[in-house]
Amino acid sequence: MHKNTISQEVNELVIDATKVGVWDWHVENDGLVCNERWAEMIGYSLSELMPVNYQTWLDVLHPDDLPKAIKNYDYHCQGQSELCELEVRLKHKNGHYVWVLSTGKAITWDAEGKPTRMIGMHQEITFRKRQEELLATTTELLRESQEIGKLGGWQLNLHDNNLIWTDETYRIYETTPQEFNPTVDLGASYLLPDSKEIFLAALDAAIQHGEEYDLELETYTIKGRKIDVRTTCHVTYVEGVAEKLSGIFQDITDAINDQRKLEKSNQVLKELNDKLKFAANYDPLTHLPNRNLLADRMQQALIKAQRNNNQIAIAFLDLDGFKEVNDVYGHDIGDEFLCLVANRFKTVIRDGDTLARFGGDEFVLILDDLDSHHQAREILQRILSSIAEEFIIENKRLFVTVSIGVTFFPQDNSYSDILIRHADQAMYRAKELGKNCIHEFDFENDVALKLQYRELEHISNGFSNNEFLLFYQPKINMETNEIIGLEALIRWQHPTEGLLSPFRFLPYIEEEPLGIELGKWVIDQAIKQHSEWRRLGIAIPISVNVSPLQLQHEDFINQLNEVLFLNNSFQAGQLEFEILESSIIKDTQHIAEVISQCKQLGIRFSLDDFGTGFSSLSYLRKLSTDVIKIDQSFVIDMLDDMDDQAIVKGVIELSKAFGRSVIAEGVETQEHGRQLLKMGCHLAQGFGIARPMPASAIPEWINLWQASPPWICK
Ligand code: C2E
Ligand code: CA
Ligand code: CA
């Protein structure tokens, strides 16, 4: 045997070692001779398959691969391929398919050139195929996620300056590799000037000193659209020499836009916050502290006086003859006059003193840190003389005087509201004594206290005599014209004085047990009324005003549960509590808990008089109420007062930001309604829609409302 020829034995050993299946196909008589490995590849022993022929192969071939196999065979027969090479799936005995590379060749032909015998082999390539598939899917996934994240890549070869972009980078630039051939200079030329400067400096630092970067830039796309992009740079070194730069390229336009929007709405919120704080604490005309801030300052002054053991004077100032000025010269001059008077007062008081506007031409002055009453009397005397000199407005000479009542703490050891009331009463005495003078409250002979007791007794009697009743005022959705609620408002049908507004009696009982009792009666009454209406087929949610003091009362939840139990056909989802803003809220945490307990019963909450108290915004954050009710004082004037309009607008935006609904009260005309709709507030309540009315008038009003055209026509 020739030395250089491989023996038959070696041939067989190689075939065995490489695990190839070998076949020899006699095309003419359809005989197929195979080795054991050929059968084993598809899970059989050769004997199981006997007799093996072309059909055997067809039987295991994946149907989808047949066309490819035929084409390949034809191609080979036509002499167009040296080897017949084919990747096919063959069915394994266990049912799954195995990938096989089949390589074959014709070795004898008949007269017409058709193969009569072919030989070849099978090699299993399942593993390789799986890897390929996996790679294809991960590549696809990567492509997709880059597209979703608008995340492209780039690479710069530092030897030849060749810049490569990934598909997504082209897409971000709104172009294709066919249309655009990127270079560093060309790419930079699309950047906006500031961005270009930053980018070129960063790139230079990366090339010169290997400094990596992460930048946010503004650029134009090839089509000229402005976008925001983030790009990073990573330096790859080979043997200490920077070889290439690479990084990501990401379209962050949306994110940046979102961020800008967020910054803008934060700005709006901040401005609103300032406006609300001002509106809540200052009188818009004179810019003096209002009643709210006054109450706060009183509280602080009292605490300080107790701690430092010194005295406070609380003075009530009421102009004499201001009404005449208003009547004769009109409101504009009247307003200006008030401001000038307030300014004169300010010139004679000390820096730390609080001068507040209490109402029309009434002011309250707190003088704290006093060593003696005498010190206060001096200041008040200066107040009297400060306005002795004439005022000149539009060439008119105006004169006014002031009557002052004063009381002293701790000699008059009362709560802050009472102290003001005492000063007020002393002021009345000053008027009686001829005006333009100071009168001191006589706390030894306190008539006021007696007055308070008398009022309390009257109210209590009225309550026992069933003289109280509820009026109801509708709330509507101006978009749909639907009636969305009825607010219960208390009235006192007084036997001699007629129908009295809550302002006439609530202040006297607010902090008394009677106030709590009355509050309980209101809830009970409203629920009974709702059930009565239900029998008439009216099912509109009702709302009830509750004071924070009532909510804070230890028995509130128990009593509520009891009422709900006794009226068991009433669904708590039909009830809403309007929390009135008040400085009485002491324990916000506790109130928040009560609210959450009520909410579990299905009761809804709204924050009433929003914007008037000091703490509207902090309540909004701490108390999870469903609705914000914009106070009528802002709404009524918003058509001609731009500050009020800004506040209304702000509160609407605020409610959206906090995901609460918003309703406006004080909607006195359709013009108010239209303006509110424009600003995005759809819910409304006010005299323009309906005044509060007795319960008995409600069914007819509803009928009329529903039969009329929409309140606001589009
Ligand atoms: P509120 O809760 O802000 O009630 C709305 C008040 O605004 C009602 O006055 C209503 O008549 C009035 N109003 C409604 N629409 C307009 C409008 O378009 N223009 C104007 N100028 N006013 C409008 P009302 O009934 O005199 O009640 C006054 C306040 O008394 C209520 O203010 C609420 O704070 C309190 N209140 C009423 N009922 C109850 C009650 O049952 N319990 C408690 N705790 N407080 C109550
Ligand atoms: Ca209310
Ligand atoms: Ca209100």
Side-chain angles (χ1 to χ4, degrees), residues 647-658:
I647 288 177
V648 171
K649 206 181 242 160
V651 175
I652 294 169
E653 277 177 45
L654 186 78
S655 66
K656 284 189 184 136
F658 278 79

Side-chain angles (χ1 to χ4, degrees), residues 7-21:
S7 68
Q8 178 69 19
E9 188 196 356
V10 171
N11 264 332
E12 277 168 13
L13 281 173
V14 168
I15 286 170
D16 196 43
T18 52
K19 297 204 164 175
V20 291

Side-chain angles (χ1 to χ4, degrees), residues 487 545 578 580 608-610 629-632 665:
E487 177 177 4
N545 293 287
E578 301 192 3
L580 301 167
D608 209 348
D609 302 342
F610 190 82
K629 211 165 177 189
I630 314 175
D631 189 65
Q632 43 171 293
E665 59 177 25

Side-chain angles (χ1 to χ4, degrees), residues 470 473 487-491 501-503 506 522 545-547 550 578 580 608-609 632 636 665-668 685-688 692:
L470 294 182
Q473 188 181 29
E487 177 177 4
L489 294 159
I490 196 162
R491 299 286 180 268
S501 123
F503 294 118
L506 287 184
V522 172
N545 293 287
V546 292
S547 75
Q550 194 181 345
E578 301 192 3
L580 301 167
D608 209 348
D609 302 342
Q632 43 171 293
I636 290 174
E665 59 177 25
V667 180
E668 296 198 333
Q685 174 181 6
F687 291 175

Side-chain angles (χ1 to χ4, degrees), residues 113-129:
K114 263 182 69 186
T116 50
R117 182 174 172 200
M118 284 184 80
I119 56 167
M121 60 179 193
H122 278 180
Q123 248 176 307
E124 194 177 342
I125 54 166
T126 306
F127 180 71
R128 196 196 87 206
K129 271 294 190 190

Side-chain angles (χ1 to χ4, degrees), residues 238-255:
V238 172
E239 289 168 1
V241 181
E243 169 114 339
K244 63 179 184 188
L245 306 182
S246 56
I248 61 158
F249 199 82
Q250 190 177 13
D251 183 349
I252 52 169
T253 313
D254 292 346

